[in-house]
């Protein structure tokens, strides 16, 4: 757990490329071989960081939506929680958002698939028989929502919007998802 947390901190401060077992050993005051007792490779450590990040992220997202009955409002709350979590946990977000993390972890792939199926079932535009994006197999609306939330999180974490904290990121995410919701109403003639 100490290696995972230190790796996430290092990814937040210096980027994923800086997460090396030798650097973590120095930070933790252990021998350079000590990390290999827990993780056979650097990639195994990065996947463990990503899995821990995903566990925390999903718990926060589900907690944000737990008391909300309307599926559209629940999805918005999850999107807002996602962006806020990314801003407040940039190291975990950076490691988790690597394609290599998803490709290297059966746990992450299963969680992602389950989440996508839930989104596809709950998304309000589903009732309007949306077109399916051929590349992803998801409705165009779900793809648009995912891209918008991920893109906003990435912009915040990478500093493209200036110094954004958790509260500001949540406000930005709420405003952006409101716009997406109004766009879906217009396209499908459905009340949000």
């Amino acid at each position: 757990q100490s290696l995972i947390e230190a790796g996430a901190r290092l990814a937040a401060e210096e980027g994923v490329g800086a997460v090396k077992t030798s650097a973590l050993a120095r930070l933790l005051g252990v021998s350079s071989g000590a990390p290999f007792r827990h993780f056979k490779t650097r990639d195994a450590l990065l996947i463990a960081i990503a899995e821990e990040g995903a566990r925390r992220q999903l718990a926060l997202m589900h907690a944000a939506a737990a008391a909300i009955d309307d599926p559209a409002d629940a999805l918005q709350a999850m999107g807002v929680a996602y962006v806020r979590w990314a801003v407040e946990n940039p190291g975990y977000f950076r490691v988790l958002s690597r394609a290599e993390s998803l490709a290297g972890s059966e746990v992450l792939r299963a969680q992602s698939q389950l989440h996508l199926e839930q989104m596809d079932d709950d998304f309000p535009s589903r009732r309007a028989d949306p077109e399916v994006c051929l590349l992803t197999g998801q409705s165009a609306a779900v793809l648009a929502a995912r891209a918008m939330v991920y893109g906003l999180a990435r912009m915040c974490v990478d500093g493209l919007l200036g110094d954004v904290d958790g509260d500001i990121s949540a406000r930005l995410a709420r405003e952006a998802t409101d716009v997406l919701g109004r766009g879906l109403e217009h396209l499908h003639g459905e009340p949000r």
Side-chain angles (χ1 to χ4, degrees):
Q1 191 63 37
S2 295
L3 285 166
I4 289 170
E5 303 236 351
R9 278 194 310 274
L10 197 55
E13 295 165 5
E14 299 180 35
V16 176
V19 180
K20 299 188 185 328
T21 55
S22 57
L24 293 174
R26 277 192 305 278
L27 281 173
L28 296 173
V30 297
S31 72
S32 60
F36 293 107
R37 291 187 199 119
H38 305 281
F39 302 102
K40 291 183 181 186
T41 65
R42 175 181 181 264
D43 286 337
L45 171 61
L46 289 172
I47 288 170
I49 294 168
E51 288 175 350
E52 176 64 16
R55 185 189 65 73
R56 294 177 183 196
Q57 177 193 57
L58 287 172
L60 189 67
M61 289 170 63
H62 288 295
I68 302 173
D69 292 328
D70 180 77
D73 291 341
L75 285 171
Q76 181 184 36
M78 290 177 80
V80 170
Y82 176 95
V83 174
R84 182 179 197 127
W85 177 86
V87 167
E88 292 177 346
N89 299 276
Y92 281 111
F93 175 75
R94 287 182 174 133
V95 176
L96 180 56
S97 62
R98 296 169 57 243
E100 298 88 349
S101 294
L102 185 62
S105 171
E106 190 173 314
V107 169
L108 293 177
R109 287 192 305 277
Q111 287 173 340
S112 179
Q113 184 61 37
L114 184 63
H115 181 67
L116 290 176
E117 288 170 5
Q118 179 185 8
M119 274 186 78
D120 223 19
D121 288 343
D122 291 345
F123 210 82
S125 67
R126 183 85 168 159
R127 293 183 293 259
D129 193 26
E131 291 184 33
V132 173
C133 177
L134 296 178
L135 291 175
T136 65
Q138 300 161 33
S139 71
V142 168
L143 180 60
R146 288 182 62 219
M148 191 267 313
V149 170
Y150 171 79
L152 180 58
R154 175 62 63 192
M155 292 172 74
C156 291
V157 169
D158 289 349
L160 298 176
L161 300 177
D163 190 20
V164 175
D165 65 14
D167 290 336
I168 293 171
S169 70
R171 186 172 152 208
L172 289 170
R174 187 164 312 287
E175 290 174 7
T177 55
D178 278 344
V179 168
L180 181 63
R182 285 194 299 273
L184 291 173
E185 287 174 10
H186 174 72
L187 287 174
H188 300 293
E190 294 182 1
R192 181 159 147 48

